[in-house]
Amino acid sequence: MENIKIFGTRVDKVTLEKAIEKVEEFLQGNKLKTIYTPNTEIIMAAKEDEDLKEILNNGDMIIPDGIGLIYASKIKKRPLPERVTGFDLSMKMIELANRKGYSIFLLGGEEGVAKKAGETIIKNNPNVRIVGYNNGYFKGAHIGLEGHEEELEVLDNINKANPDILFVGFGAPKQEKWIDLYKDRLNCKVAIGNGGTMDILAGKVKRAPEIYQRLGLEWFYRLVKEPSRIKRQIVLPKFMLKVIFGKNVVE
């Protein structure tokens, strides 16, 4: 798969259509494949966190979730074909599971969110098999307690359910680090770190209106709705300044 590197972190040159074709390939195999969904904020975090950068670079598919990544690639004349969000790819994966009868395990969110998300999936995609769900607040590696008995129980439940697809929604970088830590112990074919996807499916969070999505302004919509995000969103102008004035930013 063709790719570029932004601040040293790999991003694959895929469209949504090509990404779901790749997922279909992954589901034909017997070894777990990992999908990560970095946006501008995660790329900037990986710039300072070598472990995170290595995890992303070793993923099986890295989709460009942030509009800033698309702008950066075009400014530096290494254009990515289009933005591919974790949410949109997750929806396509659900549609694929509905057509082919694949099974999904939902891991993440507050208590009850994954279950509600599963109910929404089944309502709209009755052929999908939801084989399990668990909240994202168990004691374990993503909060610094690797191998805690609660976490081992969650791993055991996932493996007993034997899902084709595992949604992991802890938020970045926790979900990426958790998937990487346990990828050799998880009994599934595809694991995707997809952040707030389950919150949206469960109706806990509303996605930005389509006009914001088309313009790549979902970040602005969320900022207006949650002004407390300003500390996180300040990374966006910093990123663009580094892109515009930096050398060897995109390779």
Side-chain angles (χ1 to χ4, degrees):
M1 199 182 314
E2 281 191 73
N3 61 73
I4 63 173
K5 285 192 173 181
I6 302 178
F7 293 120
T9 297
R10 181 184 126 220
V11 182
D12 293 332
K13 297 178 78 170
V14 292
T15 61
L16 180 58
E17 182 181 356
K18 291 294 183 185
I20 196 62
E21 286 177 8
K22 200 70 181 173
V23 171
E24 288 196 70
E25 282 181 34
F26 291 164
L27 287 165
Q28 301 305 310
N30 295 314
K31 187 178 178 183
L32 172 63
K33 300 293 186 180
T34 57
I35 302 172
Y36 301 127
T37 63
N39 58 17
T40 305
E41 189 179 341
I42 298 168
I43 292 290
M44 287 293 276
K47 186 171 177 288
E48 309 299 328
D49 183 341
E50 287 297 326
D51 288 341
L52 177 59
K53 183 186 294 182
E54 185 176 358
I55 288 168
L56 293 171
N57 287 344
N58 288 330
D60 292 294
M61 183 161 63
I62 315 299
I63 62 172
D65 190 300
I67 192 66
L69 307 186
I70 306 303
Y71 291 154
S73 71
K74 289 180 178 178
I75 288 169
K76 295 302 184 180
K77 305 198 184 311
R78 294 293 307 279
L80 294 162
E82 68 181 28
R83 182 183 179 210
V84 182
T85 70
F87 181 84
D88 288 337
L89 180 56
S90 298
M91 295 305 100
K92 289 291 185 183
M93 290 169 72
I94 290 168
E95 290 173 15
L96 175 62
N98 189 55
R99 291 197 308 273
K100 301 290 182 71
Y102 288 124
S103 59
I104 302 176
F105 192 107
L106 304 172
L107 177 64
E110 295 177 355
E111 183 61 47
V113 165
K115 182 180 180 182
K116 178 64 176 173
E119 290 169 355
T120 301
I121 290 170
I122 293 298
K123 181 180 176 183
N124 298 317
N125 302 270
N127 293 325
V128 175
R129 293 183 295 124
I130 302 296
V131 292
Y133 47 81
N134 201 95
N135 69 64
Y137 289 85
F138 54 89
K139 291 179 180 177
H142 63 294
I143 54 171
L145 293 171
E146 178 185 339
H148 190 280
E149 63 179 299
E150 257 187 72
E151 179 169 61
L152 296 179
E153 185 178 341
V154 170
L155 284 169
D156 190 48
N157 288 340
I158 293 169
N159 289 337
K160 283 179 180 175
N162 191 26
D164 295 302
I165 297 166
L166 175 65
F167 283 4
V168 183
F170 299 156
K174 293 176 183 177
Q175 60 199 14
E176 290 79 12
K177 293 187 175 185
W178 192 88
I179 291 170
D180 183 72
L181 183 63
Y182 289 112
K183 63 186 178 185
D184 294 327
R185 295 174 60 179
L186 284 165
N187 188 19
C188 55
K189 294 180 179 177
V190 176
I192 178 171
N194 54 7
T197 294
M198 279 175 274
D199 284 334
I200 295 172
L201 285 170
K204 185 173 181 287
V205 174
K206 284 188 176 181
R207 199 178 183 197
E210 193 173 337
I211 183 64
Y212 287 86
Q213 295 175 41
R214 285 206 306 270
L215 294 173
L217 292 172
E218 285 177 280
W219 62 271
F220 180 71
Y221 176 83
R222 289 196 298 271
L223 181 59
V224 170
K225 292 291 183 180
E226 302 175 59
S228 62
R229 294 177 65 97
I230 187 65
K231 289 181 181 178
R232 290 174 56 185
Q233 300 289 19
I234 201 71
V235 75
L236 300 176
K238 285 183 179 179
F239 172 83
M240 291 312 301
L241 287 171
K242 286 180 182 293
V243 167
I244 292 167
F245 296 109
K247 292 182 179 179
N248 302 319
V249 171
V250 179
E251 301 174 305

